[in-house]
Amino acid sequence: MADQARALSWQFWSGLTFFLIVVAGTFVGIGWLYYTAMDAQEVPLKRLVVQGDLRYVTAADVRDALIAENGVPLGSFFSADVNELRAEVEAMPWVEKASVRKEWPDILKVFVVEQVPLAHWNANQRDDALLNQAGEVFYADKSGLEGGLPYLAGPDHAVTEAVKHYRELNELLQLNGFSIAQLELSERFSVELALAQGTMLRLGREALLERIQRFIDVYPELEAHKDAPIDAIDLRYDTGVAVRWKEPNKNEKQES
């Protein structure tokens, strides 16, 4: 009986010891797998694929934005947080929005939607201020801008109004062979335009489209009236216009 009891005791303790070793080994293995997965040197994201219709952003720009402080370019496949990476990309000046996803075993794919500039904004105050197609202000390096953009100016709280006036007035003008180079909205919401053709239009605050139409109607007659180019037209009247002509070979201008 004593031998049987000792045998049962030995089996119990040996079984318990084996069980504890298995449990401990399991936890050690899980820990090793976790730290291996989290270690960018063990499961690194090696390749960055940047997609999108890109004009102002390069793949190198995106990579630079994603480099971690520890010098690891992209991090581990498992530990890299795509939401954090997306936020880093969207913080880039020329990026409107981005999407980020990981592709096994070592690829990080970034799709970039760039800002599409509509106009310069208050360039006399900040030379890096731009408006996008949604009428939102953003700040970016303008050195790579493609094509000429109009200059819009006005109170910072009136961006929406300035963009609205620009779009409405420019649409009507373009239908008749003109385009806006500058639009200024005063603190009192009075509108003044500089056309790409070189003429200044003073429109005031009311009936802007009607006044632009009046300009379009009278312009052929005004152009034929005098050999000198038109400098400015004041349309802030119920009827008629006031015209200032550019005098050839003179700095002075006269009203007529």
Side-chain angles (χ1 to χ4, degrees), residues 38-39 55 74 83 100 117 129 146 156 168 192 197 199-200 210 216 219 223 225 233 240 244 252:
M38 294 300 108
D39 188 348
R55 292 179 174 83
L74 302 174
N83 290 323
V100 179
E146 299 177 352
D156 288 331
E168 291 179 348
E192 187 171 289
Q197 291 72 18
T199 302
M200 183 77 69
E210 289 84 350
I216 292 168
Y219 184 79
E223 192 177 36
H225 178 69
I233 301 176
R244 186 171 66 186
E252 295 181 357

Side-chain angles (χ1 to χ4, degrees), residues 24-40 42-43 76-79 104:
T26 300
F27 278 105
V28 170
I30 292 173
W32 179 82
L33 286 174
Y34 174 80
Y35 286 109
T36 298
M38 294 300 108
D39 188 348
E42 295 293 339
V43 192
S76 163
F77 183 90
F78 296 101
S79 65
W104 181 261

Side-chain angles (χ1 to χ4, degrees), residues 48-82:
L48 173 66
V49 178
V50 179
Q51 300 171 314
D53 183 12
L54 304 179
R55 292 179 174 83
Y56 308 108
V57 178
T58 67
D61 295 332
V62 175
R63 179 175 291 277
D64 290 343
L66 295 177
I67 289 178
E69 293 182 0
N70 60 7
V72 179
L74 302 174
S76 163
F77 183 90
F78 296 101
S79 65
D81 187 324
V82 293

Side-chain angles (χ1 to χ4, degrees), residues 203 206-207 210-211 214 234-242:
L203 302 179
E206 302 172 355
E210 289 84 350
R211 291 173 180 180
R214 190 193 312 164
D234 194 338
L235 296 136
R236 297 172 295 180
Y237 302 93
D238 293 335
T239 59
V241 299

Side-chain angles (χ1 to χ4, degrees), residues 1-49:
M1 293 294 292
D3 291 340
Q4 185 177 6
R6 282 195 297 270
L8 290 174
S9 177
W10 182 86
Q11 290 177 357
F12 170 78
W13 287 110
S14 61
L16 179 61
T17 301
F18 177 75
F19 173 75
L20 292 175
I21 290 172
V22 171
V23 171
T26 300
F27 278 105
V28 170
I30 292 173
W32 179 82
L33 286 174
Y34 174 80
Y35 286 109
T36 298
M38 294 300 108
D39 188 348
Q41 301 304 322
E42 295 293 339
V43 192
L45 286 165
K46 295 180 180 178
R47 290 183 286 171
L48 173 66
V49 178

